[in-house]
Structures are given as C-alpha cells and as structure tokens.
Amino acid sequence: MTLSVQQTKTQLEAAHVAGFIYQQDNLLVLQEPLTPEGKDQNVFIQHDETADQLGIQFGIKVVEEQIELLIGITHSNQDKSYEIGAGNLRGEQRAFNLLYAFYNYPKGFYLLRLPLMSDAESLQDALDSQLFQLEQMAFLNSAVKTNALGEQSYWMKSFIVQQSLDMQQRLRAALND
C-alpha cells in the first residue's frame, strides 16, 4: 500500500509518535519524539570523559514506492572553533531543527537514511558505516561500560542503535495499522 505524505503524517499523528510532526515537501520530521507511553523520549547522550554530546532526531521521507527512515545526529563538544547554524544546513538537513545539546552549539550534523522496512541488521550496518566509522565519532570507541559479569559494551553506540530500532519499530507499526 502506497501512502501519500499527508496520509503518512495523519497516521503518525494518530499513533502519537511525537509531540509535533514538521512537514517539508515529502519529508516528515518528528519533533519531541514520544515513547509508547506518551512520555518524552530521551534523545540526548553525553560522553562521561570527553563531554561530546549527541542528539538524535527521526524523520520519514515518502518516496514514490518506498518510505525511508531518516536519522539525524547532532554532535556537540567543547571545541568552540566551529559551530553550525540552521543556515548552514542544505537540502533535507534543513528540515531537521538542530538539537542544541545542553550548553554547546552543534559542531556537526549527520543524516542517515535507509528503507523504513529494513531489518535490524541493516539498520545496525547503516549506523556502523554511515556514522560510527566517521573520524569525528572516534570518541564513541572510548564510551565503554563494564557490567557485573565483566563484559564491556560501547554504551553510546548501543544507545543510538536501541533508540533507532525502537523508533523504527514504532513508525512501522503506526504505518501498518
């Protein structure tokens, strides 16, 4: 079933996936994403040692026969040498309002895309290849936590993956009802 942008927006609003859905042409960006319980979804994380901060945003692009999941990542840190403003974003990135994480202005904005109906492995692969491998994201490799069994995990990467998977599933469910 192919949905128009307006039909897609109506279904997402009915599913209460966000406090507001911003529309730009065939792009829908979730502002104030919500959990299934209707509470604000945590979209910010900060590295304990480097103070690098990431904000996550989600959107959907309705293309003729396919719906794409867009994941916007805002990166902030203490480096004041470069800060971006909304005027520096181009194309689809302009639809995403920059998340001003805590007290720093964004230094980078990354936009990932993949089919909404892709599986969890494809989503993980997209995050690995389009985000986690970037030189600017190297700090993610030092965000490690050890559990009671002594097993280490890259908690910031895991957070991004889990939030993305959760939202992908909510969006898919909203559009399949």
Side-chain angles (χ1 to χ4, degrees):
M1 176 172 111
T2 304
L3 295 173
S4 71
V5 176
Q6 194 54 50
Q7 289 169 322
T8 302
K9 184 177 181 184
T10 299
Q11 284 190 252
L12 294 177
E13 287 171 340
H16 304 291
V17 295
F20 178 74
I21 299 175
Y22 173 78
Q23 181 177 347
Q24 177 183 309
D25 301 324
N26 62 343
L27 182 63
L28 302 170
V29 179
L30 308 182
Q31 303 295 321
E32 304 167 17
L34 301 173
T35 65
E37 296 78 33
K39 298 180 180 179
D40 289 338
Q41 182 178 8
N42 180 16
V43 293
F44 293 110
I45 52 175
Q46 180 172 333
H47 193 288
D48 295 331
E49 297 169 11
T50 67
D52 283 281
Q53 304 153 356
L54 297 177
I56 308 169
Q57 288 180 280
F58 301 98
I60 284 186
K61 184 173 183 178
V62 180
V63 185
E64 295 172 17
E65 304 256 338
Q66 185 176 1
I67 297 177
E68 291 182 328
L69 171 66
L70 303 179
I71 304 171
I73 304 290
T74 305
H75 176 213
S76 302
N77 58 31
Q78 299 295 321
D79 180 5
K80 299 290 184 196
S81 64
Y82 178 70
E83 295 175 347
I84 61 173
N88 291 331
L89 298 177
R90 300 290 176 248
E92 293 169 344
Q93 291 182 341
R94 290 188 69 95
F96 284 81
N97 293 332
L98 291 175
L99 292 170
Y100 292 124
F102 306 103
Y103 23 71
N104 297 314
Y105 287 100
K107 308 304 187 302
F109 182 77
Y110 309 96
L111 188 58
L112 293 80
R113 67 180 55 235
L114 67 153
L116 179 64
M117 299 314 252
S118 59
D119 61 18
E121 185 178 329
S122 296
L123 184 115
Q124 174 76 51
D125 290 345
L127 287 167
D128 285 341
S129 65
Q130 297 180 46
L131 182 69
F132 299 154
Q133 299 301 317
L134 296 173
E135 183 179 328
Q136 303 90 314
M137 295 291 127
F139 68 90
L140 293 173
N141 295 320
S142 64
V144 179
K145 289 191 178 180
T146 305
N147 68 17
L149 299 174
E151 301 166 334
Q152 292 187 328
S153 68
Y154 295 97
W155 73 270
M156 289 182 81
K157 288 180 179 180
S158 295
F159 179 87
I160 293 167
V161 170
Q162 191 58 55
Q163 293 292 345
S164 298
L165 284 170
D166 289 349
M167 186 53 74
Q168 179 191 34
Q169 293 305 315
R170 289 205 56 219
L171 294 170
R172 286 168 66 165
L175 297 176
N176 285 328
D177 286 344

